Amino acid sequence: MLGFLIDDREKQEIEYLLKREMDEILFDLKDARIEYIVKRAMDERYAILFSLFRRIASHKECLKYMKRSSFKDESNQ
């Protein structure tokens, strides 16, 4: 296990970067032109980013970024 100390300003910056990256992934997962294998890799990356985000963000912020459905479900419709 690793740990590091950050101040509030650094925490806000990390939170901003994670939100921005997760927003991009969520947007791209909706794109029908992207192949399934790429979406699966993006989904795995989102899971990692969200687990990092959960450690620093408030419960309310985490609820905003919880995935409601998977790209697998969207491709079947």
Side-chain angles (χ1 to χ4, degrees):
M1 174 170 285
L2 298 174
F4 62 97
L5 295 174
I6 57 174
D7 61 21
D8 286 334
R9 187 172 175 204
E10 292 167 331
K11 177 184 170 270
Q12 289 174 348
E13 183 66 23
I14 292 170
E15 189 174 340
Y16 170 76
L17 292 171
L18 289 170
K19 283 180 181 181
R20 196 167 122 195
E21 186 66 25
M22 290 188 301
D23 283 336
E24 286 290 323
I25 292 173
L26 289 174
F27 178 76
D28 288 342
L29 284 175
K30 295 175 186 175
D31 191 345
R33 298 173 295 174
I34 298 176
E35 295 182 25
Y36 171 78
I37 190 104
V38 176
K39 285 187 178 185
R40 193 173 82 198
M42 291 166 57
D43 196 48
E44 291 172 7
R45 180 177 169 92
Y46 188 89
I48 293 168
L49 292 173
F50 185 74
S51 69
L52 290 170
F53 185 68
R54 273 192 333 214
R55 295 171 191 229
I56 61 169
S58 68
H59 180 70
K60 185 178 178 182
E61 285 293 314
C62 289
L63 290 176
K64 291 179 186 177
Y65 285 90
M66 285 183 67
K67 286 179 58 183
R68 291 186 178 89
S69 64
S70 178
F71 64 89
K72 298 171 198 168
D73 299 335
E74 294 171 3
S75 63
N76 292 335
Q77 294 177 352

